[in-house]
Amino acid sequence: MTLYQPFLDEAKAILEERLDLKDYPIPEGFESKEASVGKGKKRSQVLTTSYAKRADKLRQIRAAHVQGGDLYQVLNFVIFPELNYDLPFFGGDLVTLPGGHLIALDMQPLFRDDPQYQSKYTEPIWPIFKSHQQHLPWGGEFPDEARPFFSPAFIWTRPTETEVVEKQVFAAFIDYLNAYLNFVDEAEAVVDTEELAKIKDAQLRYLRYRAEKDPARGMFTRFYGSEWTEEYIHGFLFDLERKLAESGNGGMGNWACEGQNIVGVKVSGRNPAAETLS
């Protein structure tokens, strides 16, 4: 079993227990993809598999799982809400490379600097964040351009021990997922046209940023080539613009039901994202 398989298995079990899941289409060729990497005795196989579901209030629940032995272990798990809810995104980037572990976990906000939005979606999970922060210390600064896409309760850490990933990171991942689903349970549809437009713009802004800055682009390109990689990013991982174009109706309401990131950082001891609530 790979390092992040238990994360994905437990997430699936929780989702199946708490939501009425339906299949979300995975484009042909993206269900799984395998490649050989390295040379000689260091040659190994890398397998990338995709998971996708949808549910009431949630447009897309999806995961990309990269399994490459000792060289590459990656789980990117993101939940995208429907466009008529102001829910944040659930985002988990769990990365293990030869250089170490990189963990990013958050409920990524639509409106990062709105006090009412923070009160609604960040303050309730602040105790969860603080309880895990003692085991998962801040891993370094991140670019100013990325800051609007992360909440003050953003967990960004670089564990030095695999056991920390297996225990503390796993616990944080499950706690954040359950807390997110609690928000989903309580969410009420937005009907105001001005607010709907803001939600759509915020979702597109996030999707465009993630697609443009996707740190997995280089890795996937080395494994599978540029053409496959770009289609995987825009046609599956961050597919909202593609879906809106296909729907032809501007994307309001439950169109999908009727028919996420590790960033470049430098080491630092402070968490500027958390300072607003500390």
Side-chain angles (χ1 to χ4, degrees):
M1 180 178 291
T2 61
L3 180 59
Y4 296 116
Q5 189 65 51
F7 289 72
L8 183 56
D9 290 343
E10 185 65 17
K12 288 180 179 180
I14 291 170
L15 292 168
E16 289 172 1
E17 179 180 350
R18 298 194 56 176
L19 300 174
D20 180 17
L21 294 175
K22 299 178 177 60
D23 289 336
Y24 187 95
I26 300 174
E28 184 177 357
F30 296 146
E31 298 90 343
S32 66
K33 184 75 170 177
E34 195 167 4
S36 297
V37 298
K39 297 180 180 179
K41 294 182 179 180
K42 294 184 177 180
R43 192 169 185 83
S44 63
Q45 296 297 115
V46 174
L47 174 66
T48 299
T49 58
S50 303
Y51 165 87
K53 297 291 181 179
R54 58 185 175 87
D56 184 35
K57 306 180 186 178
L58 302 175
R59 184 184 70 83
Q60 184 194 36
I61 306 164
R62 63 100 178 124
H65 187 199
V66 180
Q67 304 158 75
D70 295 334
L71 295 177
Y72 304 97
Q73 295 291 329
V74 179
L75 178 63
N76 174 245
F77 190 96
V78 184
I79 300 177
F80 301 96
E82 289 280 11
L83 292 175
N84 58 332
Y85 289 89
D86 71 351
L87 287 161
F89 307 95
F90 177 87
D93 281 300
L94 315 174
V95 178
T96 297
L97 303 173
H101 307 290
L102 308 171
I103 305 298
L105 183 63
D106 198 13
M107 297 187 200
Q108 296 175 270
L110 294 178
F111 310 108
R112 166 64 170 77
D113 296 322
D114 184 331
Q116 290 185 329
Y117 197 86
Q118 282 197 9
S119 176
K120 186 175 182 179
Y121 290 120
T122 299
E123 290 182 9
I125 66 167
W126 195 246
I128 299 175
F129 168 71
K130 297 298 287 186
S131 71
H132 291 293
Q133 188 182 36
Q134 59 183 318
H135 304 294
L136 304 171
W138 182 245
E141 291 185 2
F142 55 99
D144 288 340
E145 65 177 349
R147 184 170 178 170
F149 304 106
F150 294 91
S151 82
F154 172 39
I155 292 177
W156 161 240
T157 190
R158 303 182 185 206
T160 57
E161 302 293 335
T162 299
E163 184 178 5
V164 173
V165 177
E166 294 172 332
K167 294 183 178 180
Q168 274 79 31
V169 174
F170 180 82
F173 178 79
I174 297 306
D175 284 350
Y176 267 52
L177 179 58
N178 275 311
Y180 182 83
L181 295 178
N182 290 341
F183 287 143
V184 173
D185 289 341
E186 299 168 1
E188 296 182 358
V190 175
V191 295
D192 180 80
T193 53
E194 183 176 342
E195 292 303 311
L196 288 171
K198 291 179 180 179
I199 290 171
K200 179 184 176 183
D201 288 345
Q203 284 218 23
L204 286 171
R205 186 163 55 248
Y206 171 82
L207 268 290
R208 287 164 181 159
Y209 176 83
R210 288 299 306 266
E212 178 185 352
K213 302 293 185 178
D214 192 337
R217 176 178 272 105
M219 178 183 69
F220 282 138
T221 299
R222 288 194 301 274
F223 295 164
Y224 310 123
S226 177
E227 182 178 355
W228 185 94
T229 297
E230 294 304 316
E231 187 61 24
Y232 191 56
I233 290 172
H234 295 284
F236 177 62
L237 296 182
F238 305 106
D239 68 354
L240 179 58
E241 286 194 282
R242 189 79 57 87
K243 294 298 184 181
L244 288 176
E246 291 173 356
S247 71
N249 65 1
M252 293 296 118
N254 293 321
W255 60 269
C257 287
E258 295 171 352
Q260 179 54 252
N261 147 73
I262 298 294
V263 296
V265 300
K266 54 185 178 182
V267 174
S268 171
R270 58 186 281 269
N271 177 353
E275 288 175 355
T276 57
L277 288 181
S278 60

